[in-house]
Amino acid sequence: MTRVALIDDHESVRLGLEAALARTEATEVVFSGANVASYLSWRRAAAATPADVVVLDLTLGDGTTVSENVDRVVRDGSSVIIHSVADRAAAVREALAAGAAGIVSKSSPTHEVLGAISTVARGEVLDNVEWASAVEGDREFADAQLSTREREVLRLYAAGLPLKAVADRLGVAYSTAKENITRVRVKYVEVGRPAPTKVDLLRRAMEDGILQDAPDGAPGHG
């Protein structure tokens, strides 16, 4: 059972999603509210565990930014899907950089939203048209300026190979491959797109076109 929280300042949107999720046996809506603060307050008051997936509107009416909202929810232990009209590339980029797992347009059919929730709940990367459009529409997003060798190491490592196997494949020392991955992480931090885990590196590689498709058995955290 996937535990879902809905955060949107439009009640009609929340009610629509609640109704759709109620028709599935695999999901349970544990919270529905207008802002992140009320969700976290409910969590504390109810001593409830974090929702598996939080479906979050890109812009809320309480003066908060998308970056702080995503960051607070991710730090609290939930995966985040942005549910938005997706017409503000810079804001979408901020959400992804803060740790959102992906974005689903509010114009998408309900079954696509439910599918996205299932995908993210399984720990898989959400790769969709809205995400790609937002990335392509914002040149800053892809500006990590990786060298050719760094891109090669990232491509193989993000595809699931252990670092030693990456080094063997490229004919370089293990220490060299490790140094390249360290530099890649530093460069992504510098452009506001941190990638502390292997899953994060997989996302960055897909976002930047270094890796076209999520490999079978995508890497877990570590």
Side-chain angles (χ1 to χ4, degrees), residues 94-178:
E94 288 178 26
L96 298 175
I103 176 167
V104 178
S105 174
K106 285 185 175 178
S107 63
S108 298
T110 303
H111 71 85
E112 289 187 10
V113 180
L114 299 182
I117 290 171
S118 296
T119 297
V120 170
R122 293 193 301 269
E124 298 175 9
V125 176
L126 184 60
D127 185 24
N128 55 23
V129 174
E130 286 78 19
W131 182 332
S133 298
V135 172
E136 291 171 4
D138 189 344
R139 294 182 179 179
E140 291 180 27
F141 193 94
D143 194 22
Q145 298 184 340
L146 303 184
S147 69
T148 300
R149 174 48 57 83
E150 288 165 353
R151 289 173 70 90
E152 289 175 343
V153 171
L154 174 58
R155 179 175 60 82
L156 294 172
Y157 185 61
L161 287 180
L163 204 49
K164 186 178 187 307
V166 172
D168 292 343
R169 180 80 64 89
L170 297 176
V172 300
Y174 171 82
S175 59
T176 299
K178 185 176 182 180

Side-chain angles (χ1 to χ4, degrees), residues 54 61 63 65 68 70 89 102 143 156 217:
V54 172
T65 67
E68 65 182 289
V70 172
D143 194 22
L156 294 172

